[in-house]
Amino acid sequence: MESLQHLEAQLLEALKDIKTDAALNDIKAQYVGKKGHLAAAMQTMKTLPAEERPAFGQAVNALKTVLLNHLDSHQKALNEAAMMARLEQEVIDVTLPGVPFEQGSKHILSQIIERIEDLFIGMGYLIKEGPEVESDLYNFEKLNLPADHPARDMQDSFYIDEHTLLRTHTSPVQVRTMLAYGGEKPVKIICPGKVYRRDDDDATHSHQFMQIEGLVVDEKTSMSDLKGTLLEVARTMFGADREIRLRPSYFPFTEPSVEVDVSCANCEGQGCSICKQTGWIEILGAGMVHDNVLKDAGYDPTKYQGFAFGMGVERIAMLAYKIEDIRHFYTNDQRFLTQFKDDQGGLEE
Ligand code: DAH
């Protein structure tokens, strides 16, 4: 009984040096484990006279509870100390400068394309796409440009094999769509996409650039529909006060063909360096779809007429934002790209 009374004091003394979970487990085993001091005390119970045993047994059990409580509170103290140490170590200094999160934005050309798409979707057009690797048949032949046609010289092309090339314009999507429609349904589409030409890159030429093609085929389609549509484009991109004018031109796939100018927004038509003192800036090519093109794509030219147009997206962007070098669009200079962040086009509604 006497040695039992010392055990609590001994344990408390021993716990003073215990700083780790492992050491605490050792002490726990030494005192309340199967081979520990309390177990040894129980063993001695056999040697006691029978009448003393119940009191001794109770005393051992009571002591066990006390010892376990001490061990438990020491464990809690260790846990708390460990937590405090971690908190101290992992402290966050909220006054340190943050790491800025760089958020990307849409490329200016994508913004312009989306803006033009929105305009045409509003007028009931569908958006169509075609392959960039195109057959000679769709890129030239079915657009009224047969193999020996001199107009093919207008577009020096990247050929992949004798009959396959990187498309030189988005016009082949016209042919693909008309063929898919089977010569019956009206067509009302625009086709944005990349095109390729064997040009040496400089401030105004790029071997790869973007176009938006437009095509309407229906039973009563006229040049005035074309003009009204293109006026909308000009005003959406360059401002509500713009005017357009049509000049006669030549494209193999349209007859008549026109080049379309927009009145210069910079000088309001007075003449400046941007419009080369003319008051007008050329923005696109267009015309009434050539009978041969309609016929080759399965449409009866005595019943259907159509208009078509094609514009360069970079050219529109360069005019709208006074960008002086087409290479800026493709060299990924952040100083250029970030100028158009979160931009709504910078253009008038
Ligand atoms: N495909 C022509 C080019 O790349 C642009 C063009 C002109 C498209 C007149 C047309 C059009 O649809 O009618 O230069």
Side-chain angles (χ1 to χ4, degrees):
M1 277 297 233
E2 207 171 303
S3 65
L4 279 187
Q5 281 155 15
H6 292 304
L7 273 183
E8 184 184 1
Q10 263 178 39
L11 174 66
L12 287 173
E13 192 57 32
L15 284 178
K16 284 185 186 158
D17 296 328
I18 301 302
K19 303 274 189 275
T20 66
D21 286 355
L24 184 63
N25 282 337
D26 285 348
I27 288 284
K28 196 171 178 179
Q30 276 175 36
Y31 281 80
V32 296
K34 278 191 193 133
K35 293 179 182 160
H37 298 311
L38 276 185
M42 276 305 229
Q43 289 296 320
T44 66
M45 197 156 78
K46 292 182 225 144
T47 65
L48 294 177
E51 67 277 10
E52 287 181 24
R53 287 183 194 169
F56 186 79
Q58 274 172 17
V60 172
N61 280 335
L63 181 60
K64 188 174 182 183
T65 310
V66 171
L67 297 190
L68 283 173
N69 280 341
H70 287 312
L71 288 162
D72 200 39
S73 31
H74 199 78
Q75 179 71 64
K76 283 189 182 132
L78 285 185
N79 291 350
E80 194 146 315
M83 166 77 93
M84 294 311 285
R86 266 184 59 198
L87 282 177
E88 209 146 292
Q89 233 176 29
E90 294 174 8
V91 72
I92 295 168
D93 181 352
V94 293
T95 65
L96 282 174
V99 182
F101 177 68
E102 284 289 337
Q103 200 172 11
S105 59
K106 275 191 189 141
H107 194 278
I108 179 58
L109 294 178
S110 301
Q111 292 181 35
I112 299 242
I113 289 171
E114 282 178 17
R115 201 171 171 83
I116 295 176
E117 284 179 351
D118 282 350
L119 169 69
F120 279 97
I121 288 169
M123 295 194 287
Y125 283 65
L126 298 178
I127 315 274
K128 294 281 175 190
E129 286 182 357
E132 287 170 28
V133 176
E134 185 54 282
S135 71
D136 190 277
L137 185 70
Y138 293 136
N139 194 80
F140 293 128
E141 254 179 87
K142 282 187 169 290
L143 287 165
N144 200 31
L145 273 136
D148 55 354
H149 196 289
R152 282 200 184 191
D153 288 346
M154 282 157 56
Q155 298 172 341
D156 280 349
S157 322
F158 289 112
Y159 272 89
I160 287 165
D161 61 33
E162 213 187 323
H163 298 295
T164 321
L165 71 162
L166 295 180
R167 68 179 176 192
T168 57
H169 50 179
T170 42
S171 305
V173 188
Q174 289 189 21
V175 176
R176 287 177 170 274
T177 309
M178 283 191 278
L179 286 172
Y181 278 30
E184 289 298 333
K185 283 191 290 179
V187 182
K188 218 174 163 187
I189 56 161
I190 58 163
C191 329
K194 291 199 191 91
V195 302
Y196 302 84
R197 300 206 188 154
R198 286 181 60 160
D199 269 329
D200 288 330
D201 292 357
D202 61 24
T204 52
H205 294 85
S206 171
H207 62 282
Q208 178 228 288
F209 58 100
M210 306 202 73
Q211 285 189 335
I212 298 179
E213 187 80 13
L215 173 69
V216 171
V217 178
D218 210 336
E219 291 187 26
K220 284 197 181 78
T221 315
S222 69
M223 198 89 178
S224 60
D225 297 324
L226 171 64
K227 191 170 180 187
T229 305
L230 297 178
L231 184 60
E232 282 303 311
V233 176
R235 290 186 172 170
T236 300
M237 300 314 296
F238 301 107
D241 299 334
R242 304 278 56 81
E243 294 296 339
I244 58 168
R245 73 174 185 189
L246 274 47
R247 280 182 291 110
S249 183
Y250 172 74
F251 298 104
F253 27 88
T254 43
E255 180 58 40
S257 301
V258 289
E259 251 152 356
V260 180
D261 299 339
V262 61
S263 58
C264 182
N266 191 52
C267 61
E268 293 294 340
Q270 296 309 299
C272 67
S273 62
I274 290 178
C275 59
K276 300 193 185 99
Q277 312 303 330
T278 64
W280 296 94
I281 300 171
E282 184 195 324
I283 53 164
L284 52 84
M288 298 306 291
V289 182
H290 198 290
D291 280 4
N292 290 349
V293 175
L294 287 171
K295 246 185 286 181
D296 278 359
Y299 278 80
D300 176 358
T302 61
K303 193 171 159 200
Y304 286 96
Q305 314 82 45
F307 66 76
F309 54 88
M311 59 187 119
V313 181
E314 286 81 353
R315 182 165 169 76
I316 303 239
M318 288 169 84
L319 291 170
Y321 290 99
K322 301 199 176 101
I323 295 164
E324 80 294 351
D325 194 321
I326 195 170
R327 290 168 293 198
H328 285 316
F329 294 114
Y330 299 110
T331 41
N332 286 338
D333 186 332
Q334 292 292 316
R335 290 168 303 180
F336 173 76
L337 295 174
T338 52
Q339 292 179 51
F340 307 102
K341 249 185 173 175
D342 301 319
D343 195 276
Q344 289 307 302
L347 311 160
E348 288 187 36
E349 282 294 328

